[in-house]
Amino acid sequence: MTMVTPPPLDQEDEEMLVPHSDLVEGPQPLEGPQPMEIVAQTESASTVDNQPVEEPQTYRFTWKIESFSRLNTKKLYSEVFVVGGYKWRVLIFPKGNNVDYLSMYLDVADAATLPYGWSRYAQFSLAVVNQFHAKLTIRKDTQHQFNARENDWGFTSFMPLSELYDPSRGFLVNDTCVVEADVAVRRITDYWTYDSKKETGYVGLKNQGATCYMNSLLQTLYHIPYFRKAVYHMPTTENDNPSGSIPLALQSLFYKLQYNDTSVSTKELTRSFGWDTYDSFMQHDVQELNRVLCEKLEDKMKGTVVEGTIQQLFEGHHMNYIECIHVDFKSTRKESFYDLQLDVKGCRDVYASFDKYVEVERLEGDNKYHAEEHGLQEAKKGVLFIDFPPVLQLQLKRFEYDFMRDTMLKINDRYEFPLQLDLDRENGKYLSPEADRSVRNLYTLHSVLVHSGGVHGGHYYAFIRPTLSDQWFKFEDERVTKEDLKRALEEQYGGEEELPQTNPGFNNTPFKFTKYSNAYMLVYIRESDKEKIICNVDEKDIAEHLRIRLKKEQEEKELKRKYKAQAHLYTIIKVARDEDLCEQIGKDIFFDLVDYERVRSFRIQKQMPFNLFKEEVAKEYGIPVQFQRFWIWAKRQNHTYRPNRPLTPQEETQSVGQLREFSNKTNNAELKLFLEVELSLDRSPTPPPDKTKEDILLFFKLYDPQKEELKYVGRLFVKSSGKPIEILTKLNEMAGFSPEEEIELYEEIKFEPCVMCELLNKRASFKFSQIEDGDIICFQKSSGHESEGQCRYPDVPSFLEYVHNRQMVHFRSLERPKEDDFCLELSKLHTYDDVVERVAHRLGVDDPSKIRLTPHNCYSQQPKPHAIKYRGVERLLDMLVHYNQTSDILYYEVLDIPLPELQCLKTLKIAFHYATKDEVAIHNIRLPRQSTVGDVLNELKTKVELSHPDAELRLLEVFYHKIYKIFPLGEKIENINDQYWTLRAEEIPEEEKNLGPLDRLIHVYHFMKETGQNQMQVQNFGEPFFLVIREGETLAEVKLRIQKKLQVSDEEFLKWKFAFMSMGRPEYLQDSDIVSHRFLKRDVYGAWEQYLGLEHSDTAPKRAYAVNQNRLTFEKPVKIYN
C-alpha cells in the first residue's frame, strides 16, 4: 500500500496530500499515513485490551458553533475539557480536510508540553447533532492510544458537506452546528513501575517460558483457602529439600504468595515434579495438569492429618443407569468425579451443557440392550448426579478432535456462564432418586480460567475473586490487576465481536471477528460451604520449620537486594597471594598465575582510604600493614594478565574508589591486586625490599616431564641487567634440586589463540630478552636426564601445548542420542584419522574407516542432520564447533562397510506395493551413486515376491497422496531425494503395457471436502494410483473396475462420489458420462492437476503418529515424576 504523509498542520496554504479518490470511512489521525488507520486502530485496541486498567472515567462535551457557514478558517478548535485528569479538545475542519466531507478529530490539548514517552488511551464518539430529530444524529465511535506521534484521532470523512450545509437536513439550524464528544478514558498502567501487591494486595507467579497454564491453575488453587490450609498441614521436615518434595515445594510457593511483596518463582515446584527446563518450555493442558497434580497430592496426603482433603473438596458422584422400557430391569453404576467435562459446541450456556449431560439416550433397533435373562430390550440410558462437591470444577470442552480433518480444533463459540449456578433447578432435574435433597446445590462463581489463542498454543490467565466479594482480580503471570464483573464474565464468553459501525447512516454490514480469548475452566463454590472453604489462613497454619526456612530465605533475598541496591557505593577488591598461586597452578589453571574467581574478595566502601583497607587485610591474614606491598595487575596486548607495578605511597593515600577508577580503564567494579609478602627463614613476614627501576619481579613454575606436572615454586627479584645463569642455583634450591643440576628455562609468553613458550637464553641479559615485571619463567631438568621417548611431553612447550588443546569428548551412539557411552581425552589438534582410530580402538572395531561420526547441535541438543564425511574435516576442533559455540559431544555409528565405500553409494528408501496382496514393504536399496533407476528396480526384484517372473517394475514419486512423477529407467539416482517424499515401487499392470491409440492413462486420487475460511477445500488421502480409460467408456464401467481393484464392498461403494478434478475444483460425474472426454491430455507428467477423484470418508485406521504428523507443535502428556 502506498503511504502518503501530509505536511504539518501549520502549512495551511499547501494542499494536503490525501488521495481524494480513496476516501476512508473509518477513523483517521489528522497527521500521518491515513490509508493505514484501520490497521492502527485495531492495533491500539488489542494493545490496550490486555493491560491493567482502572474504571474508565467518562464525560460528554457539547460544543455549539454559531455562524457556522460564515467561518473563514481552515480548522477550528473547541475549548479545552478535562476527562480522566487529561486535557482534550475537539478539532474540526468546517470545509473539510481536503475532502468534500466535514473532518472531525479528538485532540490532546496539551500534547506539546507533555513529557517524553507519554501515552493515553480513550474510547470516544464524535457526533453532529440533528436538531430536528435526535435519532438522526450522526455519531461515530472509535478508540485510540494517543501519543506524541498520534496526538489526534478521528474521521477525515465524517459526513458529506452537502448534507451538513443543507438547512432541510437539521444539522445546521439558525446557522448553528452542535457537536458532541463522548470520551471514556482508561488509565494505562506502566508495567515497569506497577506494583501488584500495592495495587491489589496479591502477587503473581513468574513464567518459566510456557508455564502460564500452570500459573493460572496454581493461583486458582491457592485462592481456595481450605485447600491452602490443607497443603500447609501436610507433614514436611526441615531436612526435606523443596526440589525433591512436592508438599514442601507447594507449601513454600503458597507461603511466598501469601507473604511476598513481589512475584514468585515456580522453579522449585517444577523441579519437585521432576521436570527439566524442556518441560517448562512445553505448554501442557491445564485440565490434565489439574488432575495429575490433585492425584499426586491425594497420594501424598494419605496417612496424614489432611488425608481425604482432595475428595472432601472436589469429589462428587454420579450414577450411570440403563433402564428397560418394557420389562422391570435396571442396571446402575456409581462413579466419582473431581471435575466435569462440559460440551461447549451446540450449547449456549452451562445449563444447556448440564441438560445435555443428563440427556436420555434410547437404546433400540440394532442398538438394543442385552438385559441378562430378558435378552435384547429397548431401554433408556443416562446419567444423574448423586451429589455435587463443595468446590465444583467445570472443564469446558473448548478443544475437540475432528476426525474428518484428522486434527484438533478449538471451539470459540459463545458460551455463557452465570455468576450463580443453581443445580437444583426445575425440581432437581439433574439429581438421581437417592440424592440428598436437603443439600442446597446453589453455587457462586469463584474463578474463570481463560485460554487466549488457538489449538497449537496460546496464553492462559485467570479471573478470581478470592473472598467471593464483588471485586474481581486478573492473575496474569507476574501481574495482578483489579477487574470489573464484565471483563471477568461477559468478555470471556467467546463468540464473535462486532466492531462499531463507522457510519450508521449507511446500510454497511458490520465487521465481525472471532474472539479467541474465552473461558476454559470454571470453579464454583457451594453457598452452604462458603464459610468453611473461604476460611482464615494465617502463620499458625504453617509449620515452624517452614516459617523459619522461608523467613531465612526472605532475609537472604532482602540482603541480596540491598547488596545490589548499594553496589554503586562499594568496590570489590580481589587480593591474590602466593598461597593462591600454589593452590591453583597445576590443578585449576596452567597458564598465567591465578583465577581471580577463586581468590578472597573484600567489599569495601569507595570512600575508604586504601591505607584503612590495608588494616582490614592485616586482620584477615595476620600480616602487619608495614609488611604489605600491593601490585596492580594489567592486561597485556597478548591478552595475558600479569602484576604490572607496585602501588606508590601516594596512591595508597587515595580512596579505594579513586584507585579502582585509576587502575582499571574498563569500568569493571573490581580492583584486582597481588599482595607481595616477604618471609624470613622462620616464615615470619619482613618488610618488602626496596624496588628500583632496575629490579624486575619474576614468577617461576617448575615442570616435571615424568609426572607431567606443573607447579608454582615462587618468585624472585632480579636485575634487568642480570642474566638467568646467575639465578640457576637459587632456582635449583626452590625446586629442591642439587645446586649443580642442569636446568632449561622457558618464558611463558601467551596461550591464546595458540601457545607461545620459548626457550630462554641463559647467557643473555633479562633486558635483552625483553623480560619485565610480572613475567613467568617455567623451568625443568635438562632433557639429557631422560630419554625423550620415555615421556609423552618431554619439555614445557609440548606440555603446555597438550594442556591447551586437550579435550574430553563424550561419545554417544547415534541410536541412543541422549546417553553418553564413553569419554575419551583427545587433542583439539587431532586429525580426523586420529579421532576415528581412538574411537575404533575403544569400541574394539578393527577397521577405523567403518566409524562414522556426527556432530552435535548445541542449540537443539540433538545430532546434526548430516554426518561428517570421510576425512571431511581436518581436526577434532572442526568437528566440535557449532557456530560460535564449542561442544564436547560426538555421535558414532559402526558401519557394515567402510565409510569411503559407503559415500560412493546412494541409499534409497523404497516402499514396495505388492500386486497380489494388500501389503507394503520398506526396502533400503544401496547402490553406487552413478546407478540408474533401472538398477534400483533390478536390485529390488531380488528382494521382493513378484506376481510372475517377467513382471516389470516402475518407481514413482508420491507426495501428500498424489503421484508427481514416474522416474525414467535411465535417470541417475544421485539426485533423487527420499527425505521429503515417498519413493513407491510397484508392478506395471498388463493393461498399461498395451495402450491403444485412443486409450488414456489417468491419475486417480481419494479425497474429502473440507470447509474452512468460508471456502471449500479438497483434502486428499490414501494411496493414489493410475488407471487406463478406454475410448467411449462410461463412468459406470470405470466404477466396476475401480471397485474390483480396490476390493470395496457394495454397501460402502454406494456412498462414493466420482468427480473430474481440475486445479482442486470438483466436477461431479454421472454414470452415463464418457470419462475419456474429460481427459484430453495423454501426458501423465504434470497430470496431478487433473485427476479422477473418489470422494468418500477415510475409513483406514489412523496410525499413532498420524495426528501430529503435520503439526508444527504438539502437546506431550503431563507427567509428574516424583
Side-chain angles (χ1 to χ4, degrees):
M1 178 179 289
T2 305
M3 298 188 36
V4 184
T5 306
L9 268 176
D10 53 358
Q11 299 178 12
E12 290 185 13
D13 296 334
E14 296 182 30
E15 184 178 352
M16 299 188 79
L17 302 176
V18 179
H20 289 246
S21 58
D22 188 21
L23 294 177
V24 184
E25 288 295 338
Q28 299 130 42
L30 176 56
E31 300 185 27
Q34 297 194 23
M36 296 293 286
E37 84 292 343
I38 292 296
V39 176
Q41 178 194 351
T42 308
E43 285 177 354
S44 299
S46 64
T47 302
V48 171
D49 188 52
N50 288 325
Q51 300 193 23
V53 290
E54 296 177 358
E55 280 294 311
Q57 299 180 40
T58 58
Y59 177 75
R60 170 170 286 185
F61 170 72
T62 304
W63 181 21
K64 288 187 178 179
I65 309 170
E66 297 176 348
S67 305
F68 190 84
S69 62
R70 295 199 293 277
L71 289 173
N72 200 23
T73 180
K74 185 178 174 88
K75 61 181 179 179
L76 186 68
Y77 286 102
S78 73
E79 63 187 56
V80 174
F81 58 96
V82 177
V83 189
Y86 297 138
K87 293 179 179 179
W88 307 91
R89 59 186 175 178
V90 177
L91 166 62
I92 67 166
F93 285 66
K95 301 294 190 289
N97 186 4
N98 294 299
V99 290
D100 294 326
Y101 287 76
L102 173 71
S103 303
M104 184 154 53
Y105 310 89
L106 180 66
D107 177 71
V108 176
D110 53 348
T113 60
L114 288 174
Y116 175 79
W118 69 270
S119 74
R120 62 185 63 163
Y121 172 72
Q123 292 172 300
F124 63 94
S125 68
L126 299 173
V128 174
V129 175
N130 190 297
Q131 299 167 55
F132 290 167
H133 302 289
K135 65 179 183 181
L136 297 178
T137 292
I138 294 180
R139 188 178 304 278
K140 295 188 178 183
D141 306 277
T142 187
Q143 57 199 0
H144 187 58
Q145 188 164 335
F146 294 84
N147 53 50
R149 289 180 62 245
E150 293 177 348
N151 61 342
D152 48 62
W153 192 261
F155 305 88
T156 298
S157 305
F158 185 82
M159 65 178 294
L161 294 175
S162 56
E163 286 185 29
L164 175 63
Y165 285 97
D166 185 345
S168 66
R169 294 295 187 101
F171 297 108
L172 210 56
V173 176
N174 297 326
D175 206 18
T176 297
C177 178
V178 181
V179 170
E180 286 180 351
D182 288 293
V183 182
V185 175
R186 288 186 187 269
R187 287 186 179 274
I188 301 170
T189 303
D190 178 359
Y191 285 147
W192 298 106
T193 59
Y194 184 75
D195 186 332
S196 292
K197 185 81 167 189
K198 182 180 171 185
E199 299 293 334
T200 67
Y202 301 103
V203 297
L205 291 168
K206 291 175 182 172
N207 193 328
Q208 290 188 49
T211 55
C212 54
Y213 71 99
M214 180 179 71
N215 291 350
S216 57
L217 175 65
L218 290 172
Q219 289 282 16
T220 303
L221 293 173
Y222 167 81
H223 287 292
I224 300 172
Y226 190 91
F227 179 85
R228 192 192 330 159
K229 189 186 280 261
V231 167
Y232 282 152
H233 283 273
M234 292 176 73
T236 53
T237 71
E238 57 194 18
N239 297 322
D240 288 348
N241 180 0
S243 296
S245 163
I246 293 173
L248 184 58
L250 203 54
Q251 287 172 349
S252 172
L253 183 82
F254 281 4
Y255 180 91
K256 290 171 185 173
L257 280 174
Q258 194 161 344
Y259 294 106
N260 266 28
D261 291 328
T262 55
S263 57
V264 179
S265 169
T266 57
K267 283 186 179 176
E268 264 186 1
L269 182 66
T270 54
R271 284 195 201 108
S272 77
F273 291 169
W275 291 2
D276 57 17
T277 309
Y278 176 75
D279 288 290
S280 299
F281 278 88
M282 176 65 75
Q283 194 168 87
H284 297 298
D285 177 46
V286 73
Q287 299 175 1
E288 191 181 356
L289 176 65
N290 186 26
R291 287 205 192 99
V292 175
L293 180 58
C294 284
E295 281 172 15
K296 279 285 173 188
L297 288 175
E298 186 180 354
D299 185 53
K300 304 277 185 188
M301 287 177 176
K302 283 178 182 171
T304 74
V305 292
V306 288
E307 182 173 358
T309 300
I310 301 294
Q311 293 97 315
Q312 291 166 26
L313 279 177
F314 304 116
E315 188 178 44
H317 299 88
H318 51 54
M319 178 188 75
N320 294 294
Y321 69 86
I322 298 177
E323 186 175 5
C324 293
I325 296 170
H326 303 299
V327 297
D328 184 17
F329 183 87
K330 187 174 183 179
S331 169
T332 61
R333 185 177 75 258
K334 180 180 177 180
E335 288 184 354
S336 66
F337 64 86
Y338 284 2
D339 56 34
L340 291 173
Q341 298 264 340
L342 297 186
D343 283 329
V344 170
K345 197 167 188 178
C347 300
R348 70 177 298 274
D349 59 15
V350 172
Y351 289 123
S353 296
F354 269 99
D355 291 345
K356 192 171 180 181
Y357 205 99
V358 301
E359 206 169 54
V360 177
E361 179 188 353
R362 288 186 69 93
L363 305 178
E364 54 192 5
D366 292 340
N367 198 26
K368 284 181 181 176
Y369 174 64
H370 190 275
E372 295 178 3
E373 69 269 15
H374 300 288
L376 291 173
Q377 291 289 331
E378 291 185 358
K380 294 184 295 182
K381 178 185 178 185
V383 177
L384 288 171
F385 290 92
I386 300 168
D387 56 61
F388 292 104
V391 179
L392 180 63
Q393 300 182 110
L394 303 179
Q395 309 283 4
L396 308 183
K397 291 160 77 171
R398 286 282 182 191
F399 295 94
E400 68 173 31
Y401 184 71
D402 187 320
F403 286 94
M404 292 295 285
R405 300 185 192 190
D406 192 16
T407 189
M408 292 293 291
L409 299 174
K410 185 181 178 191
I411 310 300
N412 290 300
D413 300 354
R414 182 178 176 85
Y415 181 86
E416 298 177 10
F417 44 92
L419 198 59
Q420 279 212 318
L421 179 67
D422 188 356
L423 295 178
D424 290 333
R425 67 195 284 259
E426 296 182 26
N427 201 27
K429 64 189 285 190
Y430 306 131
L431 299 175
S432 68
E434 62 261 45
D436 183 354
R437 301 287 174 135
S438 67
V439 177
R440 180 76 176 94
N441 292 303
L442 181 64
Y443 285 85
T444 298
L445 185 61
H446 172 266
S447 41
V448 180
L449 274 72
V450 176
H451 178 265
S452 175
V455 70
H456 297 304
H459 183 52
Y460 291 88
Y461 47 92
F463 292 93
I464 304 172
R465 46 180 189 156
T467 61
L468 297 181
S469 67
D470 291 337
Q471 181 61 64
W472 285 87
F473 297 89
K474 181 181 181 183
F475 293 83
E476 185 172 14
D477 290 335
E478 290 89 346
R479 283 187 293 276
V480 186
T481 53
K482 289 182 178 179
E483 301 293 349
D484 57 25
L485 178 66
K486 183 171 184 282
R487 284 174 83 83
L489 259 72
E490 290 176 39
E491 292 188 17
Q492 310 314 322
Y493 288 162
E496 291 185 326
E497 190 164 308
E498 189 175 302
L499 282 183
Q501 290 193 35
T502 55
N503 197 336
F506 291 87
N507 263 332
N508 51 348
T509 307
F511 177 71
K512 294 183 178 181
F513 64 92
T514 302
K515 293 170 72 175
Y516 291 98
S517 295
N518 34 56
Y520 182 54
M521 176 177 162
L522 308 172
V523 178
Y524 283 92
I525 292 178
R526 190 157 49 202
E527 278 286 328
S528 57
D529 294 296
K530 190 163 66 175
E531 299 301 320
K532 173 185 165 188
I533 290 165
I534 309 295
C535 59
N536 187 44
V537 184
D538 52 34
E539 280 214 344
K540 69 176 183 292
D541 291 299
I542 303 163
E544 186 181 5
H545 76 84
L546 185 65
R547 287 204 304 271
I548 293 169
R549 179 202 290 254
L550 295 174
K551 279 182 179 173
K552 189 179 176 186
E553 273 183 28
Q554 287 296 95
E555 287 166 5
E556 287 172 358
K557 189 176 178 183
E558 183 61 21
L559 275 175
K560 280 183 183 176
R561 189 193 64 76
K562 283 183 180 175
Y563 186 92
K564 197 173 179 182
Q566 296 174 357
H568 65 288
L569 302 174
Y570 290 83
T571 289
I572 302 296
I573 302 180
K574 291 192 169 182
V575 177
R577 303 185 300 145
D578 277 324
E579 288 84 346
D580 295 306
L581 276 59
C582 286
E583 178 66 28
Q584 293 185 21
I585 292 171
K587 297 173 188 170
D588 303 318
I589 63 167
F590 292 88
F591 302 97
D592 268 353
L593 292 172
V594 73
D595 176 2
Y596 260 100
E597 295 304 311
R598 298 167 182 261
V599 304
R600 175 73 168 86
S601 291
F602 296 84
R603 187 170 185 254
I604 305 297
Q605 284 195 334
K606 289 182 177 178
Q607 280 74 26
M608 179 186 280
F610 188 79
N611 281 324
L612 280 181
F613 166 68
K614 290 177 76 172
E615 292 180 12
E616 293 278 323
V617 174
K619 288 180 202 169
E620 178 71 20
Y621 296 125
I623 301 167
V625 169
Q626 65 271 26
F627 300 147
Q628 300 173 17
R629 180 156 63 190
F630 287 92
W631 289 67
I632 289 178
W633 293 69
K635 190 171 186 179
R636 298 182 175 179
Q637 285 186 335
N638 62 11
H639 303 294
T640 58
Y641 209 60
R642 306 285 171 82
N644 186 41
R645 63 173 182 81
L647 289 175
T648 65
Q650 184 184 355
E651 286 171 341
E652 291 192 355
T653 63
Q654 295 179 349
S655 72
V656 165
Q658 288 172 320
L659 199 55
R660 189 208 46 91
E661 287 174 15
F662 168 75
S663 69
N664 194 340
K665 302 294 190 289
T666 59
N667 292 324
N668 191 314
E670 295 177 350
L671 173 60
K672 294 175 180 176
L673 300 172
F674 174 70
L675 173 57
E676 176 200 345
V677 178
E678 296 298 326
L679 299 175
S680 62
L681 291 174
D682 63 356
R683 308 297 294 169
S684 61
T686 61
D690 292 335
K691 182 184 184 308
T692 65
K693 287 186 178 179
E694 174 77 2
D695 295 311
I696 302 171
L697 178 64
L698 300 182
F699 295 83
F700 294 90
K701 299 178 185 178
L702 172 66
Y703 174 56
D704 184 339
Q706 296 256 311
K707 296 180 180 176
E708 294 180 7
E709 280 182 0
L710 186 73
K711 64 180 181 180
Y712 175 69
V713 289
R715 53 186 166 75
L716 289 175
F717 278 105
V718 299
K719 299 292 183 182
S720 62
S721 57
K723 299 174 184 178
I725 196 167
E726 298 166 3
I727 61 168
L728 295 183
T729 303
K730 181 64 178 172
L731 292 182
N732 278 330
E733 181 188 333
M734 290 166 68
F737 299 159
S738 65
E740 296 79 23
E741 184 72 54
E742 282 287 322
I743 55 175
E744 301 291 344
L745 278 61
Y746 299 85
E747 182 192 0
E748 181 189 315
I749 300 170
K750 66 171 187 173
F751 56 93
E752 289 294 349
C754 57
V755 173
M756 194 169 176
C757 182
E758 295 180 350
L759 189 66
L760 192 64
N761 185 342
K762 288 184 274 189
R763 299 188 179 277
S765 71
F766 289 109
K767 187 173 184 180
F768 180 82
S769 298
Q770 297 183 330
I771 301 297
E772 57 187 40
D773 277 321
D775 276 349
I776 301 169
I777 307 295
C778 300
F779 67 98
Q780 67 177 87
K781 290 182 180 179
S782 293
S783 55
H785 287 279
E786 300 98 1
S787 168
E788 292 194 7
Q790 293 176 327
C791 304
R792 290 197 306 167
Y793 310 107
D795 54 28
V796 173
S798 62
F799 176 73
L800 291 180
E801 191 77 41
Y802 152 70
V803 170
H804 183 255
N805 292 302
R806 69 178 167 184
Q807 174 76 51
M808 286 301 292
V809 182
H810 300 259
F811 285 91
R812 300 175 178 181
S813 166
L814 194 61
E815 294 174 355
R816 299 182 303 279
K818 292 287 183 188
E819 306 166 21
D820 284 357
D821 266 12
F822 56 89
C823 293
L824 291 178
E825 184 186 280
L826 303 172
S827 167
K828 293 173 189 171
L829 302 180
H830 272 156
T831 64
Y832 174 89
D833 287 348
D834 293 333
V835 176
V836 294
E837 277 172 18
R838 282 163 173 75
V839 173
H841 182 263
R842 175 65 177 74
L843 294 171
V845 176
D846 295 335
D847 184 355
S849 68
K850 289 185 178 178
I851 300 296
R852 179 161 67 176
L853 300 175
T854 300
H856 179 70
N857 184 320
C858 297
Y859 300 105
S860 69
Q861 296 297 311
Q862 298 284 335
K864 287 188 184 178
H866 301 294
I868 298 168
K869 291 185 176 179
Y870 181 71
R871 294 178 177 167
V873 295
E874 285 191 25
R875 314 237 172 244
L876 173 66
L877 186 61
D878 303 321
M879 301 181 189
L880 300 177
V881 171
H882 178 66
Y883 295 109
N884 59 343
Q885 293 193 35
T886 302
S887 162
D888 62 353
I889 296 170
L890 285 174
Y891 303 88
Y892 71 87
E893 300 165 87
V894 180
L895 306 173
D896 57 341
I897 61 172
L899 181 56
E901 193 179 319
L902 178 66
Q903 285 178 184
C904 295
L905 303 177
K906 171 87 172 179
T907 303
L908 291 178
K909 188 177 180 180
I910 310 286
F912 180 71
H913 289 238
Y914 285 92
T916 53
K917 51 188 174 183
D918 186 17
E919 191 178 311
V920 177
I922 306 297
H923 290 277
N924 287 305
I925 305 296
R926 187 191 282 169
L927 290 172
R929 290 184 167 273
Q930 295 306 308
S931 303
T932 63
V933 170
D935 298 328
V936 171
L937 296 176
N938 288 334
E939 178 70 15
L940 187 62
K941 285 180 183 179
T942 67
K943 298 175 180 289
V944 299
E945 182 186 324
L946 302 175
S947 60
H948 59 89
D950 300 326
E952 294 180 36
L953 303 183
R954 65 181 167 205
L955 188 66
L956 312 173
E957 181 183 282
V958 178
F959 186 63
Y960 276 98
H961 315 287
K962 291 182 179 180
I963 299 169
Y964 281 83
K965 182 176 182 179
I966 301 177
F967 288 96
L969 294 177
E971 182 169 337
K972 293 279 194 294
I973 66 170
E974 189 168 8
N975 298 319
I976 295 178
N977 192 331
D978 60 354
Q979 295 292 311
Y980 303 105
W981 36 77
T982 303
L983 298 180
R984 183 173 110 192
E986 62 186 18
E987 292 185 20
I988 302 174
E990 289 300 320
E991 65 172 3
E992 291 184 28
K993 294 179 184 176
N994 304 303
L995 290 179
L998 300 176
D999 292 340
R1000 302 274 187 274
L1001 185 64
I1002 66 167
H1003 291 237
V1004 185
Y1005 304 155
H1006 306 268
F1007 78 95
M1008 296 182 295
K1009 280 194 302 188
E1010 280 189 351
T1011 303
Q1013 307 274 326
N1014 299 321
Q1015 61 181 2
M1016 191 277 292
Q1017 294 176 326
V1018 166
Q1019 183 76 37
N1020 293 102
F1021 65 92
E1023 294 292 350
F1025 59 93
F1026 289 121
L1027 192 70
V1028 175
I1029 301 298
R1030 312 291 181 198
E1031 179 67 19
E1033 195 172 21
T1034 63
L1035 177 64
E1037 294 168 315
V1038 171
K1039 280 166 64 175
L1040 287 173
R1041 291 198 289 124
I1042 289 175
Q1043 184 180 3
K1044 182 180 178 183
K1045 179 181 179 70
L1046 300 180
Q1047 299 179 344
V1048 183
S1049 68
D1050 291 343
E1051 181 184 359
E1052 176 64 25
F1053 201 66
L1054 284 171
K1055 302 174 188 175
W1056 289 25
K1057 294 180 185 176
F1058 293 77
F1060 168 68
M1061 303 290 292
S1062 179
M1063 304 302 287
R1065 288 188 293 274
E1067 181 187 329
Y1068 289 96
L1069 303 176
Q1070 304 300 318
D1071 281 358
S1072 58
D1073 286 344
I1074 306 298
V1075 178
S1076 59
H1077 290 175
R1078 294 292 198 284
F1079 295 90
L1080 301 177
K1081 293 182 183 176
R1082 295 192 55 135
D1083 183 10
V1084 295
Y1085 304 113
W1088 58 85
E1089 296 173 0
Q1090 294 187 341
Y1091 61 89
L1092 180 63
L1094 315 181
E1095 185 185 353
H1096 60 97
S1097 59
D1098 184 6
T1099 56
K1102 296 284 183 291
R1103 295 180 181 89
Y1105 65 84
V1107 174
N1108 294 322
Q1109 206 170 8
N1110 299 317
R1111 287 178 61 172
L1112 296 175
T1113 60
F1114 60 92
E1115 288 184 350
K1116 286 172 63 178
V1118 179
K1119 290 180 182 173
I1120 296 179
Y1121 302 94
N1122 293 328

